[in-house]
Amino acid sequence: MYATNYHRASSVEDAVKLASSSDEAKYISGGQTLLPTMKQRLAAPSDLVDLRHVSDMKGISVDGGKIRIGAATTHAEVASSPDVASACPGLAHLAGHIGDPHVRHLGTIGGSIANNDPAADYPAGLMALGATIVTNTRSISADEFFTGMFETALEDGELIVAVEISAPASCGYAKFPNPASRYAMAGVFVARQGDGSVRLAVTGAGSDGVFRHAGMEQALASDFSPGALDGIGVDDSELLSDIHASSAYRANLVKVMAKRAVSAAG
Amino acid sequence: MANVSMTVNGRTVSGHCEDRTLLVQFIRENLGLTGTHVGCDTSQCGACVVHVDGKAVKSCTMLAAQADGSEVMTIEGLASGGELHPVQAAFREHHGLQCGFCTPGMIMSAVDIINRHGGQLDEQTVRAELEGNICRCTGYHNIVKAILDAASKMGDSAKVAAE
């Protein structure tokens, strides 16, 4: 790891100010992706602004059907939250299957989506749930937030403060993890709203990161059952192909995981 | 450079280190507590697992400066007065190790698992919870047996309220 300067932020304003003092500063929350990347010398921020002690960015609150999760809330906290489990069980399941227990004790929802790894779990969940990403300056819809592989709509220095979700009528997540890394080779989150509309998002498979599948959404809106997906094809021309799986294999996995996600949603 | 203070195994310690110093380096090199191992250094193997503020984390994937002000427990802090912790005793009893390199991380993870689940553990839960700890000798079988035995002996009184 190259040398860096560590700063501990005490508030959102403090964090933004600390980060703006250097062109090469990065926010660090759980650090479960950033630190391994720095150790490989694939990232070399001059300054790290630690968000773990910003109390305004932590915790989960539910108000009616609205769930607000602070950006510095860990995966373990989301996974074990009774509020999330009752309002949005698919998201609790998703959080409880990221990485391993040690990673879940430190890694955070804000860190995960800011990085937008094409095989991370949260982007699929937030995209399918139509979440709103709240930053220090504005609110961004999930559809507009995730712009491509490792790319988001965040401006330089912009800080994710919280994620807001409206509880769906039902939701489910299923992933096929890479046996070594536990990242998704294909992960599908499906959410059905009270009016019967369905959003379905796929992670791990797309060559440009998380994406929604319109054909599956339409089929599930008229018949919310795994069998409704039988006749739906997944185009493999835009899917990842690597040593772990070909794009054709991933296309099949997407369909299998989509059916499992629908079963899980019930 | 960072001035770092933390409580390690109940003792207040402080030291001077580079900001980029990993917690595991600080524990091993500044404090001389070499029971915590570095296996992969890529956040996968779990040999470096310690507890920070009561939670199991990979100390190769946290900066010492991030742990400033925290309570840290390493494998050296488990036994009391020459008596092995029940999880350590169970690993010995059930031959839950061969080369022993992964053992400190395995045991710290096992204590964390029992803290969270109490005595009502089943094999499937233990195996899923050991996702972040790699052992290349044992095939995990005796490790799982040891953890189940320790959990049942420690009972539900072992469960630490997460709240």
Side-chain angles (χ1 to χ4, degrees):
Chain A
M1 190 189 298
Y2 290 110
T4 188
N5 297 302
Y6 173 85
H7 311 271
R8 185 175 288 188
S10 57
S11 66
V12 171
E13 296 73 26
D14 188 33
V16 172
K17 195 172 150 213
L18 284 166
S20 68
S21 62
S22 162
D23 289 344
E24 299 294 328
K26 271 202 182 294
Y27 296 115
I28 182 166
S29 187
Q32 299 301 285
T33 299
L34 180 55
L35 286 174
T37 309
M38 288 172 68
K39 288 201 287 187
Q40 292 180 71
R41 297 190 170 183
L42 296 172
S46 62
D47 295 78
L48 289 175
V49 179
D50 188 354
L51 307 171
R52 288 177 66 233
H53 302 270
V54 179
S55 54
D56 284 351
M57 291 176 61
K58 297 209 275 197
I60 297 162
S61 60
V62 177
D63 182 10
K66 292 270 184 201
I67 310 158
R68 182 183 168 97
I69 304 173
T73 307
T74 65
H75 309 324
E77 288 162 347
V78 173
S80 64
S81 160
D83 285 338
V84 177
S86 81
C88 196
L91 194 68
H93 174 81
L94 176 153
H97 289 78
I98 298 171
D100 58 53
H102 322 308
V103 169
R104 294 195 287 272
H105 279 149
L106 287 174
T108 66
I109 187 169
S112 171
I113 61 173
N115 190 48
N116 194 15
D117 188 299
D121 299 285
Y122 267 128
L126 299 197
M127 184 86 104
L129 289 163
T132 301
I133 289 88
V134 181
T135 76
N136 61 314
T137 57
R138 58 183 170 147
S139 292
I140 312 170
S141 72
D143 285 331
E144 289 169 356
F145 180 85
F146 299 107
T147 54
M149 188 178 276
F150 294 110
E151 295 289 336
T152 69
L154 291 171
E155 306 281 352
D156 281 350
E158 189 172 4
L159 177 62
I160 303 170
V161 177
V163 169
E164 292 178 344
I165 295 160
S166 298
S170 65
C171 63
Y173 182 62
K175 79 165 159 178
F176 189 92
N178 179 306
S181 73
R182 318 316 286 172
Y183 274 99
M185 300 239 291
V188 176
F189 198 104
V190 64
R192 186 167 58 91
Q193 300 300 329
D195 63 5
S197 65
V198 173
R199 287 169 63 107
L200 179 147
V202 180
T203 189
S207 55
D208 202 26
V210 63
F211 66 93
R212 287 171 64 190
H213 196 287
M216 289 190 184
E217 290 182 353
Q218 283 157 18
L220 291 169
S222 50
D223 173 16
F224 195 75
S225 71
L229 301 177
D230 281 339
I232 307 288
V234 177
D235 179 7
D236 66 8
S237 64
E238 299 291 320
L239 298 190
L240 288 166
S241 190
D242 54 30
I243 58 166
H244 306 298
S246 66
S247 52
Y249 184 80
R250 276 193 169 87
N252 187 59
L253 270 187
V254 168
K255 192 159 158 177
V256 174
M257 291 305 116
K259 287 183 171 188
R260 289 185 189 173
V262 172
S263 295
Chain B
M1 296 290 278
N3 285 310
V4 176
S5 303
M6 59 185 85
T7 307
V8 177
N9 303 331
R11 195 165 58 94
T12 304
V13 298
S14 54
H16 199 53
C17 62
E18 285 189 294
D19 288 13
R20 63 177 163 177
T21 304
L22 299 171
L23 178 59
V24 69
Q25 286 175 295
F26 185 78
I27 289 170
R28 288 178 57 85
E29 294 165 25
N30 289 55
L31 305 180
L33 296 171
T34 54
T36 302
H37 290 169
V38 178
C40 66
D41 203 29
T42 53
S43 319
Q44 285 158 322
C45 80
C48 67
V49 169
V50 301
H51 296 186
V52 174
D53 297 324
K55 295 189 169 75
V57 305
K58 289 173 177 170
S59 61
C60 82
T61 312
M62 185 175 201
L63 298 175
Q66 286 178 289
D68 181 39
S70 289
E71 286 196 19
V72 177
M73 168 86 86
T74 72
I75 187 73
E76 289 92 343
L78 281 185
S80 68
E83 191 175 329
L84 291 178
H85 183 280
V87 175
Q88 292 174 306
F91 268 65
R92 186 174 67 175
E93 173 74 21
H94 292 279
H95 198 57
L97 62 149
Q98 286 180 32
C99 86
F101 195 86
C102 74
T103 311
M106 283 287 178
I107 289 179
M108 296 311 287
S109 295
V111 172
D112 178 66
I113 293 167
I114 296 168
N115 282 348
R116 285 185 285 114
H117 293 274
Q120 304 303 310
L121 270 174
D122 56 53
E123 180 180 340
Q124 193 184 4
T125 304
V126 172
R127 287 185 182 273
E129 289 276 354
L130 286 179
E131 190 114 315
N133 293 82
I134 295 174
C135 171
R136 296 292 76 158
C137 304
T138 63
Y140 303 95
H141 196 65
N142 287 353
I143 292 172
V144 174
K145 268 205 294 197
I147 296 172
L148 289 171
D149 185 37
S152 70
K153 283 182 176 144
M154 290 164 73
D156 273 337
S157 62
K159 186 166 180 174
V160 174
E163 297 79 38

